[in-house]
Every structure is written in C-alpha cells, then in structure tokens.
Amino acid sequence: MQGKKTFQEKLFNQFRLSERVPEDNFYRRLHTAIDLNFLYKTTEKFYGLSGQKSIDPMVFFKLCLVGYLENITSDRKLITHCSMRLDILYFLGYDIDEELPWHSTISRTRQLFPEDVFESVFTKVFELCVAVGMVAGHTQTIDSAPVKANASMDTLELKVPEEDLENHLRQIRNISHRDKLKPLRQSKENKADKDQQTLSASANELQAIKSRNTKWAKDQDARPGAGAKGSRYTSNKTHYSPTDPDARISVKPGKARKLNYLSQLTVDTANHVISDIKAYHADGKDSQHLPDIVKRVKQRLWKSELVWENCVADTGYSSGENYAFLETIGLKSFIPAHGTYKGGPNGFTYQEKDDYYTCPQGKIIPFKKTFIEKKNNTKKKEYRGSKQLCLDCPIRRSCLGKSAQEKKFTVTYYRSEYERNIARVESNQGRYMKGKRQSTVEPVFGTLTQFMGLNKVNSIGIKQANKCMQLSAIAYNLKKYLKFTQKRVKSGAGMLDLFYALKNRLTAVDKSVLTGMNLI
C-alpha cells in the first residue's frame, strides 16, 4: 500500500538535543576534547561590572572555530549555518529554541580581545597535541604564503610627496591614467596615518620604478585593456590602501598583484601539527622574519619540554645573519643558500686559518677590512691585492679587466656559516630534510587556504589578521588531534597508555603510603 507522509507541527515536543547527536559525531567529540573554561578568568578584565551581559567568551571562540572548521569566513553566514546544525548547537551549548548571538557581536568581540587571548587558546590546543605524543619537536619546517587582505586594489591612492603633486607626476612618469583620476572605489574612510600617505621613496627608488614601468609598458594608457583591473603598475613606494593601511601590495609569479598579508607558518614534522603562525607585512622578506619566528617557536617547545634540533626552510630564509643566529642558539639549519652566493672569485682558493685568498697564479690576496654594504645593509669583508702584485701577471687582463690596477673583491662576513650550512643541505640528511619540508609545511598551507577559511582575511589591520590566522591554525590542530586520538583508541594504543598511566599512579600511591608508615 502506498504511503503518504503528512507534516503537522506539534505544539509541545519531548526533545533532547544530546540524544539526537551521535556519540561519534565530530563536534560531540570536540566538545569533550577541549576545555576552554580558563577563558572566563583570562577575559574578565575586558568587561565592565554593569550593563547587559555580552556573549560568553567560550561561545565566541567556539563559534569562531566552527567558522574555520566549516570554511565559512562571513560572520553572518556562520550564524545562519550554526542555527541549522544540531551537532553544532550541542557543541556551542545552545538548545534548539535558543537564539544564537547576533553576527555583529562576533566581529566586535574579535576586536575587543587582544592577540594574547588568541595566543593562549592556540597554546592550549598545542599542549593537548604534545600530551598525546603528536609533537616530536626535534625538526620544525618553516614556510610563508600570501593571504588576501580585506581591501580592494581599486581603492588604492597615491602617496603625496612633499612637493606639489602635479609637478611630481610630470617628473616621474610611472603613473597611469587611472591614477590621475579618483579611485574606482572611493574608500568611505581613510584609515592610513600621515606617514603612510606621504611618499617616502628616494629619488633612486622612484627612478627604478620608472625604468621598470617603461619596460613593462611604454604607454599604459595606450595599451589594450589599460582600463581593466590590475592593468596598472603599482608599488608600495607610490601607493597605499586607505581601507586597510597595514595591507601591502605583493605578487607571485604568474599571479595578479593584490593587497596581501604574509602568513609565516611553522609545522612539526612528526604529525604535521602547527607549532606557530603569525601575520606579517607582505612587503617584507622571509629572511627578515626568521629570528622572530625561531625565538617564538623555541620558547613554546621549551615550555612543553621538547628539544628543537633542526630548522628546515626554503631559500627565501637564506642569509648569513640567519645561519649565524641559528648556530648561536644551537640549531642546525637546512636552508639552501641563494644562487647569488659565492665563496670568492672563480679560481681563487680560500685559506681559512690565515684569512686570505690565493689567486690562480699562487699570489696572496690578503684581507683588508670589514664594512656594512649600504645597498642591502649586509656585513662584508674586503680583500685587496697590491698594484705591484698584479703588475707582471700573465692573466692580468682577464682577471682585472681594462681599467683596474689591483685585484679587489668582497665576500660575505658569514662565509664559514654559509659553507657549513651548504654542506648540511647537500648531505644525505639534507636531501631527506628537503623532502620532509615539501611533504609537511606546503600541504598544511594548502589545507588552511583551501578548506579552513584562510583564503582571505575577513578583518582589517595586521593584528586582526593575526587573530584570523591563529584561529585557522587552532581549528586545524584540533581536527588533527581528534583524528589522532580516534586512531589510537581503535588500535588499542590509547588503552595501553591508560594502563601504564594507572600503573604508575598506583605505584606512586603505594610508595607514599609506605613512606607514611615509615616502612621505606
């Protein structure tokens, strides 16, 4: 007999949310896995003693985590999504007839709490991963990736020089027709300070921009598609974003120029647990950020009683200062050197003991002085031979050129650190570390940007961007943690650990009892 279902809503229902959410549900397991009660004491100082009650800080963080776990970056969409999911309501501690917080409350609370609060939640989750044996600590891989800022290239405005703008435009012809007019999307409010709006580039830098622009297009306005988005040549030296002054223009090969933040990520190689993440300005070099990253990661691992031995990164983090810094704090670097590095001129042999070079003719080129190169602000050593030394040399023309009278060259001050690092990179262990880096930190970045809400920052300012990155990393680590513990329970490893823990506990109790009875 054919059945037909008719729906008639009941006035009264006997319904328990806990009975409808399965025991093996992800959010039910997550509800029992993490304890965020410490947030009440941590965030107490940010609230007043009177007025209406604000959102529960624990509910706020759980809502944020759901957003990144479900790859939802809009607070409005997040509330709508959560209201239709029974398991998420159970995780948040809301019943089906309770109204969720208003979406604007999430963004206001995100601005209210400082970065330290988000850092404490990240550390709490990281310690959970350490407690179950997910983090080895000895090898950490570091990488970076641009994350799109919450600002449009159409809102870019010109930095104003000290002189008259019109005169400046006539002198430096690196500005397209679009830049002479108002931005396509005028910003409602200019949030940039005066320093950010003022042109600070030197004449040489502006000339370099002009030359680069001439190569790129002789006349931008005459080019087909000159009015399209991204057709103009922009630079952080000449443009700024009034919407988000902390965002910077950056570009990757084959990609369009965008306003981005730079996300620096550190991952443990044992089970791909994120050990650190932070937002930086997108116009900075990776090598400039390495000391700050290393200090932060080393402190976090030390607090968890883990020893860090190997620092693995790509060529972007290469510099003599970084190699020396890592050696000073006892870390072995596996960072390929830049292709521009040379240990000295071709055919010259370095004598490390007495610090001089021997030319192909056997003549000694001695060390003269140490200096700071202004162009890149790097420390270098100068080696120079005398005029008499090269006077009758048979290869004088090919070695010195037409005008030089003596052999003079510079070498990085950190030559020995470079050589030791290169030897490690080219060893069997170095080749293994390269494979670990490619299979560890790069897939993690792909997961964060494609599936965990880090394809774009949904807030404004570098501090807010840092909070978004930390929340994405927290969600990732929690997902890894639940998967790891579930596998251990199924394999019986978790039960074995519980047995030994109880055994050690009982042994300690027995000893204390016997000590109290003066029997041992």
Side-chain angles (χ1 to χ4, degrees), residues 94-108:
Y94 278 72
D95 214 329
I96 55 171
D97 59 346
E98 288 186 272
E99 188 176 355
L100 289 172
W102 193 245
H103 65 85
S104 61
T105 309
I106 301 175
S107 59
R108 287 200 300 269

Side-chain angles (χ1 to χ4, degrees), residues 175-433:
I175 309 299
S176 68
H177 178 69
R178 275 182 57 191
D179 286 317
K180 297 173 188 175
L181 305 174
K182 288 185 178 180
L184 291 180
R185 295 172 63 185
Q186 188 75 37
S187 179
K188 293 180 181 178
E189 178 187 358
N190 194 333
K191 299 179 181 179
D193 55 27
K194 190 174 180 180
D195 291 338
Q196 183 73 356
Q197 297 180 44
T198 304
L199 187 69
S200 59
S202 64
N204 291 336
E205 289 173 325
L206 289 173
Q207 184 61 39
I209 293 172
K210 176 185 174 183
S211 303
R212 211 177 309 150
N213 196 48
T214 304
K215 277 186 178 180
W216 180 72
K218 290 183 179 179
D219 187 355
Q220 292 189 45
D221 298 335
R223 245 180 106 124
K229 288 184 178 181
S231 64
R232 57 181 170 169
Y233 185 89
T234 52
S235 168
N236 291 306
K237 300 289 185 184
T238 55
H239 293 75
Y240 75 96
S241 171
T243 309
D244 187 355
D246 289 335
R248 297 289 187 270
I249 303 165
S250 67
V251 62
K252 292 192 74 174
K255 300 289 181 71
R257 290 173 176 270
K258 290 181 180 179
L259 286 164
N260 294 322
Y261 285 102
L262 188 66
S263 176
Q264 293 285 356
L265 183 71
T266 308
V267 181
D268 185 83
T269 57
N271 288 284
H272 299 190
V273 173
I274 298 173
S275 53
D276 187 72
I277 190 169
K278 191 173 181 181
Y280 292 88
H281 292 299
D283 58 347
K285 295 181 180 179
D286 288 339
S287 57
Q288 296 172 339
H289 305 313
L290 185 67
D292 182 46
I293 297 167
V294 169
K295 289 174 184 176
R296 204 167 48 249
V297 175
K298 191 174 179 66
Q299 185 178 14
R300 181 173 288 116
L301 293 174
W302 177 78
K303 287 181 178 178
S304 298
E305 299 180 352
L306 296 172
V307 179
W308 186 9
E309 298 176 4
N310 306 314
C311 180
V312 187
D314 61 19
T315 310
Y317 297 87
S318 170
S319 76
E321 291 84 356
N322 285 345
Y323 295 144
F325 167 73
L326 293 174
E327 285 188 6
T328 302
I329 61 175
L331 290 179
K332 288 191 288 185
S333 60
F334 292 88
I335 306 173
H338 277 295
T340 55
Y341 166 74
K342 288 185 178 181
N346 292 331
F348 283 63
T349 306
Y350 180 63
Q351 305 297 330
E352 187 173 1
K353 184 179 179 181
D354 297 317
D355 193 15
Y356 66 84
Y357 280 84
T358 305
C359 77
Q361 296 298 310
K363 304 290 179 65
I364 293 176
I365 312 297
F367 163 73
K368 287 297 181 181
K369 65 177 181 178
T370 300
F371 68 99
I372 302 295
E373 187 184 47
K374 291 183 179 180
K375 183 179 179 181
N376 298 315
N377 196 29
T378 55
K379 197 173 183 180
K380 290 196 170 185
K381 298 172 76 172
E382 182 183 294
Y383 294 84
R384 185 172 69 239
S386 63
K387 182 178 178 180
Q388 291 76 16
L389 194 69
C390 303
L391 193 62
D392 299 323
C393 182
I395 60 171
R396 173 188 172 90
R397 185 65 179 266
S398 61
C399 184
L400 298 183
K402 293 182 180 179
S403 57
Q405 298 296 315
E406 57 192 18
K407 185 64 177 177
K408 183 176 75 171
F409 56 88
T410 61
V411 180
T412 175
Y413 181 82
Y414 303 98
R415 183 187 184 280
S416 56
E417 285 83 356
Y418 264 102
E419 294 297 330
R420 286 192 290 270
N421 175 77
I422 291 172
R424 282 194 296 271
V425 169
E426 293 178 350
S427 66
N428 290 334
Q429 187 184 11
R431 286 188 284 271
Y432 170 78
M433 289 297 180

Side-chain angles (χ1 to χ4, degrees), residues 12 18 29 87-88 119 124 132 170 178-179 214 223 230 237 245 271 304 394 448 464 487-488:
F12 301 98
S18 58
R29 291 190 294 119
D87 55 347
I88 295 177
E119 181 80 17
K124 179 79 172 178
V132 296
R170 282 194 289 269
R178 275 182 57 191
D179 286 317
T214 304
R223 245 180 106 124
K237 300 289 185 184
N271 288 284
S304 298
L448 293 179
Q464 300 299 321
K487 281 184 178 180
R488 286 171 66 87

